[in-house]
């Protein structure tokens, strides 16, 4: 059984002008409004909106409702933008292309490693492939202190060997042919 079939819905507005006319006609029939032909002119309706407190309240409530709707739209836009920002790394094509390039580069690097798997396994099983020094544990501290002193000599080793070879080949009997400046440089 439908009780609302013959009644109109009071919350359903057929238009702001109709609602205002209904309110004004009710106020007119109750004798609250002065005897004006209120329903005919829009100027009278605007004037009543400005003077009657109940109509001011209705106007303010309507403005609040409009502002709330705008606020809701802005809030939805902000939420959408935040979601877009959060999802950018999944949905943005530039970011996806960059990630695809990085994955392809990593994939080619891993393929190269897999291609050299046998040599890597061999190197890991025999970490000392080249010659190395056997030092007993008691002398390791002394070797660690001596190695930094040996580095400059070892780095200049070819020049040091040339100097030694020149010194061996030098004939001291031919010193008279050397210029005086070079002899002074030796001293």
């Amino acid at each position: 059984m439908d009780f609302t079939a013959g009644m109109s819905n009071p919350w359903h507005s057929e238009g702001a002008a109709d609602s205002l006319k209904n309110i004004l006609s009710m106020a007119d029939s109750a004798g609250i409004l002065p005897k004006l032909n209120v329903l005919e002119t829009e100027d009278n309706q605007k004037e009543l909106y400005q003077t009657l407190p109940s109509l001011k309240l209705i106007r303010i409530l309507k403005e609040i409702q409009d502002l709330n709707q705008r606020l809701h739209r802005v809030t939805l836009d902000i939420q959408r933008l935040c979601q877009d920002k959060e999802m950018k790394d999944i949905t943005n094509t530039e970011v996806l292309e960059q990630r695809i390039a990085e994955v392809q580069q990593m994939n080619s690097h891993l393929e190269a490693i897999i291609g050299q798997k046998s040599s890597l396994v061999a190197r890991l099983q025999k970490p000392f492939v080249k010659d190395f020094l056997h030092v007993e544990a008691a002398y390791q501290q002394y070797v660690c202190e001596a190695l930094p002193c040996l580095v400059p000599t070892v780095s200049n080793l070819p020049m040091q060997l040339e100097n030694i070879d020149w010194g061996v080949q030098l004939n001291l009997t031919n010193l008279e042919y050397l210029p005086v400046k070079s002899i002074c440089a030796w001293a």
Side-chain angles (χ1 to χ4, degrees):
M1 195 174 203
D2 190 15
F3 293 106
T4 60
M7 296 194 275
S8 64
N9 187 354
W11 302 108
H12 178 69
S13 66
E14 298 168 353
D18 291 338
S19 299
L20 178 63
K21 287 179 183 179
N22 291 340
I23 291 172
L24 291 176
S25 65
M26 287 173 42
D28 189 35
S29 64
I32 297 173
L33 293 176
K35 294 295 180 185
L36 297 172
N37 194 359
V38 176
L39 302 176
E40 291 180 3
T41 62
E42 288 185 23
D43 292 334
N44 290 341
Q45 289 177 2
K46 289 180 184 178
E47 183 180 324
L48 288 174
Y49 262 125
Q50 299 297 325
T51 57
L52 295 176
S54 59
L55 295 179
K56 283 184 185 178
L57 179 63
I58 291 172
R59 182 179 45 87
I60 291 172
L61 290 174
K62 182 155 177 56
E63 289 174 4
I64 290 173
Q65 181 183 12
D66 292 341
L67 289 174
N68 282 337
Q69 288 175 351
R70 286 180 35 204
L71 178 65
H72 181 66
R73 279 184 293 216
V74 169
T75 304
L76 287 177
D77 288 342
I78 290 172
Q79 287 176 354
R80 184 182 49 82
L81 291 174
C82 289
Q83 288 176 350
D84 287 346
K85 183 179 178 184
E86 291 172 359
M87 301 296 284
K88 180 181 179 183
D89 58 342
I90 297 173
T91 58
N92 192 342
T93 56
E94 294 173 3
V95 174
L96 288 175
E97 289 173 359
Q98 179 184 4
R99 295 242 170 108
I100 288 171
E102 290 172 358
V103 168
Q104 287 175 344
Q105 182 181 7
M106 185 177 66
N107 186 28
S108 63
H109 179 69
L110 291 175
E111 286 176 356
I113 290 173
I114 290 171
Q116 298 175 356
K117 184 173 105 175
S118 59
S119 66
L120 286 173
V121 169
R123 283 178 52 196
L124 290 174
Q125 289 175 348
K126 297 179 185 177
F128 297 110
V129 180
K130 298 191 180 199
D131 294 334
F132 56 93
L133 297 174
H134 293 281
V135 179
E136 292 183 27
Y139 301 112
Q140 284 183 357
Q141 179 182 359
Y142 302 115
V143 170
C144 289
E145 292 172 0
L147 280 177
C149 297
L150 291 174
V151 169
T153 304
V154 172
S155 66
N156 293 329
L157 188 62
M159 189 176 77
Q160 297 289 343
L161 291 175
E162 287 176 10
N163 288 342
I164 291 171
D165 190 34
W166 179 80
V168 169
Q169 293 176 359
L170 180 66
N171 189 356
L172 294 179
T173 58
N174 295 334
L175 284 179
E176 58 197 43
Y177 296 115
L178 289 175
V180 177
K181 289 183 181 178
S182 64
I183 294 175
C184 294
W186 276 62

